[in-house]
Amino acid sequence: MDRQLASSNPATQVPVDQAPLTECAYRGFDTPCWERREFLKCAAATGTYWLVNPLWAARTNDAVFTREARHYEKLPHKQVKCVLCPRECVVDDRERGYCGVRENRSGTYYTLVYSRACSAHVDPIEKKPFFHFLPGTAAFSVATAGCNVNCKMCQNWEISQVRPEQVQAMYLPPDKLAQLAKQTGCASIAYTYSEPVVFYEWMYDCARASRPLGIKNVVVTGGYIKEKPLRELCKVVDAIKVDLKGFSERYYQEVVNGQLKPVLDALLVMKSEGVWLEIVYLVVPTLNDKEGELRQLARWVKSQLGPDVPLHFTRFYPQYLLKNLPPTPIATLERAKQIADAEGLHYVYIGNVPGHPGENTYCPRCKRPVVERIGYQIRGVHLNRGKCKHCQQPIPGVWKS
Amino acid sequence: MKGAGLDGVSVHHVTRRTFCRWVGAASAISLGCSGAPETPPSSTTGRSKVVIAQDPKLRDTRGKLSPQRVAALLNRALQALFDRDHPAEAWHQVVRPGQVVGLKVNCLAGKGASTSVELVEAVCESLQQAGIRPDKIVVWDRLNADLESAGFRIRERGPGVRFIGNDVLGYSDELYAHGKAGSLVCRTLTEVCDVVINLPVLKDHSITGVTIALKNLFGAIHNPNKYHLNAGDPYVADVFMLPPIRSKVRLSICDAFTPVYQGGPSYMPQWMWPFNSLLVSLDPVALDYIGWQLIEQKRAEAGMKPLRELKREPRYIFTAADAQHRLGVCDPQRIQVIRI
Ligand SMILES: [Zn+2]
């Protein structure tokens, strides 16, 4: 699961210059490539001047991260209505939307997180997880503060549930991010950890800036986004992984602080736009693990998105505001997989259980493994031009040529 | 930043347990208000007192607040609340020398719809007359920039009263939770202040109906934007229940000099009226209930719909009074309104 590794101390440093970062970018999986300490070391080594302010961003120059938002409407009396996500916040002057990263200033709505990266790591793409998208490659993974829901089990709440000025951040404009991804040998940039919908403008521009360099762009999201911005985004990104958090409105209301219906609508839009799509379902004991709910989910995915969309059932660990529940029993995950398999989905995985055979991709025809994994590591790929080596069955996905 | 403090103000940690012992010894919790050792029940009748103190001559002919009249009005209100002959005696029911006293102002809307500088000056002056050293008084809100936009000058150190935003000291490491709220609480409240005096503004609110005493404490947490769902119910009540907030907020003095009855919480001069009043209570729920009624009354006079019809009735006020919260009372039969 895509947990960010950097700490989120209440401090902010804003680079006033752009440093070459090749020296400090650490190309190892599971290791933060660009945590603040390394970052400063690198900056010192390269003799680049950085404004280091150990206080909060509000005391530094916020203006570099501030851009007019793209999806909102102006209302009378200096109010604005955000139309980026289904929440459609109506925001008074000087106030912020639910996400905490968009602010109304005298009737103009601004994103405060443009180029404001609070996390930047080189991760295996399997960590997102994407299992059918360039397996074994690295994704330059970035996030800003903020989220448009508030899940009680959020594993990254220290960045997703805070305001941008409450977390360390660095200035990372689109062209610089694209270069960094290239220099660190990443096949893709992943917008992840918090909720990329809330840093839409930066994500969109980064995707456009990195494509000419041959970098793919992948989005890890809760899918809580309105149709228009989503369709525009789908034109510039290559893959989307949606955290479908449950399959009942009640769960979305009580645990996620959102709604299920708009997420299902968004999944249909993604499918229709032709981006590569994978779904993760975090199985939380007693809250979203009922057999009927899981069966309904599998049926919906098969009938609406098709049997080839990968579905990952991942293990919950107690976090944030849901510390009173145990980790998901492995038997529960196995039962969920059995249900989805039985409903006819071709690629059902078990996640967050390193070494489980449910991490492998099996050919739906000859049933032999075509991609073998242990944790985030690839142990074997038995594909030939996207087809099973054993029986030539095409395996859907985006594979290395 | 852990343990960070203001220059000259010692940082100390009042844990929940110590606080309970402290309060329990005095058995002085009245009507769910977070009690202090000296804090008496807010009335002898078992009801919550809300003082509405008005001075029609609070402003001069140019509309400027008279600092002397604001100070006099404040002291009269406190004396009425505590039934004391002298202002210092009344203030001694709230604070005692040696304590660090926080004043939680409301500055998000900028000048005109924020806690008045004149009121804050009057409170600071009264506290000093009650024996609180100026460097033990901390005026705070979310951001330095917010304080400045409301007319306060930032002063993080030095011998005088401190004016400081939460962006300076940051937020607690501990995540506090109650009901549907889970938040970090500003260190100014958790680590610097012994006592907090709540200085809200009387305002309509486009999402939560009204914003008065209870909701002003949204300014103490790191994630207020998450709690405007369902017109703030139960979030406003749940946030006030977070242990550091509930245990330290002692008294509410609401600036109702020019309340906003429509279009709030922003500055809306066309929808403000010169009420020239203070609302003072130990019970933030009772104060909110009375303040809400004043806004409804004004809206009715202006031919506007009641908040209920606009789907923004502040039901969180009732929630704050329920058996799970007991932050105060909102039954009019149990509220004693004293007009002076
Ligand atoms: Zn095969």
Side-chain angles (χ1 to χ4, degrees):
Chain A
M1 288 295 285
D2 217 9
R3 195 181 201 290
Q4 65 108 26
L5 295 168
S7 64
S8 54
N9 296 326
T12 294
Q13 295 85 21
V14 182
V16 293
D17 198 352
Q18 295 169 357
L21 286 155
T22 26
E23 299 96 319
C24 66
Y26 181 87
R27 288 178 55 188
F29 288 161
D30 260 345
T31 307
C33 84
W34 201 24
E35 282 194 281
R36 192 62 211 164
R37 207 171 297 126
E38 279 76 17
F39 199 54
L40 289 174
K41 233 187 287 167
C42 165
T46 55
T48 312
Y49 174 71
W50 299 85
L51 172 66
V52 179
N53 183 345
L55 298 174
W56 289 50
R59 319 190 86 204
T60 64
N61 183 10
D62 272 340
V64 295
F65 305 120
T66 304
R67 290 282 176 99
E68 185 170 359
R70 284 184 200 156
H71 294 274
Y72 78 100
E73 295 163 4
K74 296 195 178 205
L75 301 178
H77 307 297
K78 293 186 188 173
Q79 282 190 316
V80 298
K81 179 182 175 183
C82 183
V83 289
L84 177 58
C85 99
R87 212 170 271 289
E88 296 192 327
C89 293
V90 173
V91 184
D92 289 298
D93 185 22
R94 299 171 67 107
E95 299 268 357
R96 291 190 194 178
Y98 184 87
C99 60
V101 305
R102 286 160 189 274
E103 187 168 284
N104 178 350
R105 295 183 180 172
S106 295
T108 300
Y109 207 36
Y110 291 94
T111 168
L112 310 179
V113 289
Y114 192 91
S115 303
R116 194 172 196 160
C118 68
S119 294
H121 307 274
V122 174
D123 281 343
I125 190 98
E126 283 73 19
K127 191 179 172 208
K128 307 298 114 189
F130 279 103
F131 277 12
H132 290 232
F133 191 90
L134 302 178
T137 63
F140 199 96
S141 305
V142 293
T144 75
C147 185
N148 57 351
V149 293
N150 185 4
C151 302
K152 285 184 178 173
M153 66 294 180
C154 184
Q155 57 179 350
N156 287 329
W157 70 271
E158 285 155 304
I159 59 168
S160 71
Q161 300 304 322
V162 303
R163 294 178 167 219
E165 66 272 22
Q166 294 167 349
V167 67
Q168 279 187 325
M170 36 206 154
Y171 180 61
L172 196 51
D175 56 341
K176 177 58 69 180
L177 175 57
Q179 281 171 30
L180 269 174
K182 186 82 180 168
Q183 287 165 4
T184 52
C186 291
S188 60
I189 296 171
Y191 308 94
T192 180
Y193 304 130
S194 55
E195 174 49 69
V197 168
V198 309
F199 57 85
Y200 183 94
E201 293 82 357
W202 180 50
M203 167 171 60
Y204 186 93
D205 289 357
C206 289
R208 290 196 55 167
S210 57
R211 281 194 146 186
L213 304 184
I215 305 286
K216 304 278 187 198
N217 286 270
V218 304
V219 184
V220 176
T221 175
Y224 208 50
I225 180 171
K226 284 181 70 77
E227 180 175 349
K228 185 169 178 281
L230 176 58
R231 286 202 187 276
E232 288 175 18
L233 181 68
C234 286
K235 307 272 191 269
V236 298
V237 302
D238 302 281
I240 303 181
K241 188 219 87 180
V242 172
D243 281 302
L244 183 56
K245 293 162 194 284
F247 207 71
S248 72
E249 286 293 354
R250 192 175 165 193
Y251 183 82
Y252 264 83
Q253 191 187 335
E254 292 180 0
V255 179
V256 177
N257 286 294
Q259 296 169 278
L260 170 63
K261 175 74 168 49
V263 178
L264 299 182
D265 292 345
L267 282 163
L268 296 175
V269 170
M270 293 169 197
K271 183 73 187 169
S272 74
E273 289 289 337
V275 289
W276 179 252
L277 179 62
E278 302 198 20
I279 296 173
V280 162
Y281 188 98
L282 182 77
V283 184
V284 182
T286 73
L287 297 183
N288 67 356
D289 62 347
K290 307 280 180 299
E291 180 165 339
E293 188 174 355
L294 297 171
R295 196 171 294 284
Q296 271 190 311
L297 159 76
R299 284 180 182 166
W300 186 88
V301 171
K302 189 185 175 195
S303 65
Q304 302 299 311
L305 305 175
D308 287 339
V309 171
L311 175 60
H312 306 246
F313 289 111
T314 58
R315 191 178 198 196
F316 157 87
Y317 286 94
Q319 314 262 4
Y320 187 37
L321 298 170
L322 266 190
K323 288 187 176 160
N324 57 333
L325 292 175
T328 319
I330 291 168
T332 304
L333 298 166
E334 289 170 339
R335 189 173 50 88
K337 176 168 160 54
Q338 279 167 13
I339 291 168
D341 283 340
E343 289 298 329
L345 295 188
H346 291 160
Y347 306 100
V348 183
Y349 298 100
I350 287 178
N352 277 358
V353 188
H356 195 282
E359 292 184 311
N360 298 328
T361 303
Y362 297 91
C363 170
R365 188 160 155 213
C366 72
K367 311 297 179 196
R368 293 162 79 172
V370 287
V371 183
E372 295 179 273
R373 304 176 182 86
I374 291 185
Y376 304 138
Q377 288 194 325
I378 300 294
R379 305 309 290 256
V381 179
H382 313 292
L383 288 167
N384 187 10
R385 295 170 187 247
K387 291 180 180 170
C388 169
K389 254 185 188 168
H390 313 290
C391 74
Q392 303 308 309
Q393 166 76 16
I395 307 294
V398 178
W399 313 107
K400 277 185 278 191
S401 53
Chain B
M1 295 294 288
K2 193 171 185 180
L6 301 179
D7 177 37
V9 177
S10 63
V11 173
H12 42 110
H13 306 258
V14 179
T15 63
R16 182 73 186 147
R17 192 178 300 165
T18 3
F19 181 78
C20 290
R21 231 187 295 134
W22 193 39
V23 171
S27 54
I29 302 177
S30 65
L31 296 165
C33 304
S34 46
E38 313 89 331
T39 307
S42 59
S43 86
T44 48
T45 57
R47 294 189 293 169
S48 283
K49 266 190 193 177
V50 177
V51 175
I52 303 177
Q54 190 171 39
D55 178 357
K57 293 182 179 164
L58 206 59
R59 291 169 190 279
D60 65 20
T61 47
R62 288 168 302 157
K64 196 174 168 351
L65 287 165
S66 153
Q68 294 77 21
R69 297 196 80 105
V70 169
L73 184 69
L74 172 69
N75 284 334
R76 271 166 45 217
L78 262 286
Q79 286 171 250
L81 181 69
F82 292 107
D83 206 11
R84 291 293 191 279
D85 292 332
H86 299 288
E89 285 176 29
W91 284 98
H92 280 146
Q93 308 305 310
V94 185
V95 296
R96 60 185 174 194
Q99 288 181 318
V100 178
V101 181
L103 306 182
K104 169 61 181 78
V105 290
N106 187 311
C107 298
L108 188 56
K111 209 157 190 171
S114 296
T115 310
S116 308
V117 171
E118 292 83 353
L119 175 61
V120 172
E121 283 172 350
V123 173
C124 291
E125 184 57 34
S126 293
L127 287 171
Q128 289 173 61
Q129 284 169 9
I132 306 292
R133 272 173 32 195
D135 62 348
K136 300 274 186 188
I137 300 170
V138 184
V139 180
W140 59 276
D141 201 358
R142 303 232 342 258
L143 302 171
N144 273 358
D146 289 348
L147 286 162
E148 284 174 323
S149 75
F152 299 101
R153 272 185 66 182
I154 301 304
R155 192 190 296 136
E156 295 171 15
R157 51 186 63 84
V161 174
R162 312 299 163 81
F163 293 83
I164 188 167
N166 295 340
D167 47 333
V168 178
L169 295 186
Y171 293 85
S172 59
D173 292 327
E174 187 179 342
L175 181 71
Y176 295 95
H178 184 93
K180 287 197 159 187
S183 297
L184 308 176
V185 178
C186 64
R187 288 197 164 112
T188 308
L189 187 151
T190 59
E191 296 182 17
V192 176
C193 298
D194 297 308
V195 174
V196 172
I197 298 175
N198 190 13
L199 296 175
V201 183
L202 182 58
K203 290 198 282 189
D204 167 83
H205 192 288
S206 68
I207 302 172
T208 63
V210 295
T211 171
I212 316 175
L214 291 167
K215 192 173 173 298
N216 193 30
L217 271 298
F218 270 24
I221 57 171
H222 83 291
N223 58 349
N225 44 297
K226 298 295 176 190
Y227 300 142
H228 289 79
L229 305 176
N230 195 39
D233 185 34
Y235 305 97
V236 177
D238 285 348
V239 166
F240 210 96
M241 288 294 286
L242 300 179
I245 293 176
R246 185 177 191 180
S247 65
K248 290 190 179 179
V249 177
R250 186 77 52 88
L251 168 72
S252 296
I253 302 171
C254 175
D255 179 335
F257 296 157
T258 44
V260 182
Y261 61 91
Q262 164 68 13
S266 304
Y267 174 60
M268 290 286 166
Q270 69 272 42
W271 292 314
M272 295 167 77
W273 86 99
F275 191 45
N276 298 318
S277 300
L278 290 173
L279 276 61
V280 183
S281 184
L282 290 167
D283 179 341
V285 184
L287 192 153
D288 271 20
Y289 182 82
I290 297 301
W292 167 30
Q293 302 314 311
L294 290 168
I295 285 177
E296 292 280 21
Q297 198 182 323
K298 189 67 196 173
R299 293 179 59 85
E301 284 170 25
M304 291 177 176
K305 285 182 180 171
L307 297 175
R308 180 196 293 246
E309 282 184 33
L310 300 169
K311 295 197 168 72
R312 53 186 181 99
E313 182 183 42
R315 292 180 308 277
Y316 65 79
I317 297 175
F318 299 106
T319 301
D322 72 14
Q324 284 73 48
H325 295 81
R326 296 181 190 278
L327 288 166
V329 300
C330 63
D331 171 2
Q333 301 299 314
R334 294 183 61 199
I335 300 173
Q336 181 189 6
V337 177
I338 300 170
R339 288 176 187 270
I340 58 169

